[in-house]
Amino acid sequence: MESIFTYYNKLAASYDENRFANSYGKFIHQQEISYLNETLNKKNTKYTLDLACGTGRLLQFAKYGVDNSPNMINIATRKYPNHNLQVSKGESLPFKNSFFKQVYSFHLFMHLEINHFSQILNEVGRTLEKGGTFTFDFPSKSRRKITRYKAASWHGGSQIGTSDIHKIIKNNWELVNYRGVAFFPIHHFPTKLRKHLLKLDNFLCRSIFKQFSSHLIFTLSKK
């Protein structure tokens, strides 16, 4: 089975077009951008890290970025030549203790085992100042329980719920916010209808039913 590193390193050149140039990718991108716009402090971008930044899709919110793929970092560097971008694993970040005020990471933990998430969470906590925030996403356990979805490989293999988050963070973090992404199975809708569903989808992703969205975005604050 091809490893996550090999897969994304090979996909780097076509990643943007492959994943986010279509109507489904744009739908997801808009919801993630909206959450970051609402959650992140724009004055702190100088001390913000995009963990698993890929080709730089969300680097307008940070001055620092790391990714395990050299090919992804090369592309991101061409887009953002004045950013500090490095090849690095999330379990061993090349930054000082309490350096950042904000860290965010998208489309990473869905591919990793929960124990890897815990390791990276500890490392992020080391690099964040007290009161700093960590924003990340996971496939929703509640949604997958209903749909009986099972990943065939590491690609999208992980899932989590709010109860799991509380068990993992213990006394080191506080869950301050979360919302859903893609409440509707948007990939099953005709392309022409997708953009018209965005407003309603956003409403449901913030409602009492948000845990049943396809993915969940969480924001933790370091105690």
Side-chain angles (χ1 to χ4, degrees):
M1 183 185 298
E2 191 173 38
S3 70
I4 182 173
F5 169 79
T6 303
Y7 177 84
Y8 278 103
N9 212 40
K10 288 167 59 176
L11 185 64
S14 60
Y15 180 76
D16 290 343
E17 182 176 0
N18 182 286
R19 297 299 171 86
F20 295 101
N22 54 66
S23 60
Y24 175 70
K26 290 177 180 178
F27 194 95
I28 301 300
H29 177 74
Q30 286 178 294
Q31 292 188 320
E32 293 170 347
I33 287 286
S34 175
Y35 184 85
L36 290 176
N37 270 321
E38 295 170 5
T39 306
L40 293 182
N41 186 334
K42 308 300 190 305
K43 297 179 180 180
N44 290 339
T45 56
K46 184 178 178 181
Y47 298 102
T48 301
L49 171 68
D50 184 346
L51 172 59
C53 65
T55 58
R57 180 174 66 93
L58 301 172
L59 271 174
Q60 67 266 40
F61 296 101
K63 289 297 182 183
Y64 290 82
V66 297
D67 198 279
N68 196 29
S69 165
N71 291 346
M72 290 280 193
I73 286 293
N74 286 340
I75 294 172
T77 300
R78 289 200 292 270
K79 294 180 183 179
Y80 294 92
N82 296 321
H83 281 44
N84 185 319
L85 306 179
Q86 302 182 49
V87 176
S88 175
K89 293 184 177 181
E91 297 91 335
S92 54
L93 296 172
F95 304 107
K96 297 178 180 179
N97 295 349
S98 305
F99 182 78
F100 294 111
K101 297 179 182 294
Q102 303 173 130
V103 178
Y104 59 87
S105 183
F106 283 82
H107 300 225
L108 170 63
F109 298 123
M110 62 187 292
H111 303 315
L112 304 180
E113 298 291 340
I114 296 300
N115 65 312
H116 287 160
F117 167 66
S118 297
Q119 293 171 17
I120 294 173
L121 181 61
N122 288 336
E123 180 67 352
V124 169
R126 180 188 66 78
T127 65
L128 267 177
E129 65 177 25
K130 184 177 180 180
T133 60
F134 181 34
T135 296
F136 56 92
D137 69 330
F138 255 105
S140 167
K141 178 182 284 188
S142 296
R143 173 67 161 263
R144 289 191 170 183
K145 185 176 182 179
I146 290 176
T147 60
R148 298 182 180 179
Y149 173 87
K150 291 185 178 180
S153 67
W154 55 261
H155 197 283
S158 294
Q159 57 187 335
I160 210 166
T162 52
S163 60
D164 301 305
I165 290 291
H166 284 297
K167 290 177 183 176
I168 293 170
I169 65 177
K170 298 179 181 178
N171 297 320
N172 301 317
W173 301 85
E174 177 185 3
L175 176 61
V176 294
N177 194 24
Y178 86 97
R179 67 154 286 174
V181 172
F183 189 90
F184 294 119
I186 201 67
H187 52 291
H188 291 310
F189 284 79
T191 301
K192 292 182 179 179
L193 290 179
R194 293 176 181 177
K195 64 180 180 181
H196 301 294
L197 292 171
L198 183 60
K199 186 174 182 179
L200 178 58
D201 198 277
N202 275 329
F203 171 78
L204 292 170
C205 284
R206 300 169 188 273
S207 73
I208 59 173
F209 305 108
K210 58 188 174 182
Q211 71 268 25
F212 299 107
S213 304
S214 175
H215 284 65
L216 301 174
I217 307 176
F218 300 93
T219 295
L220 307 179
S221 175
K222 179 184 172 182
K223 291 185 178 180

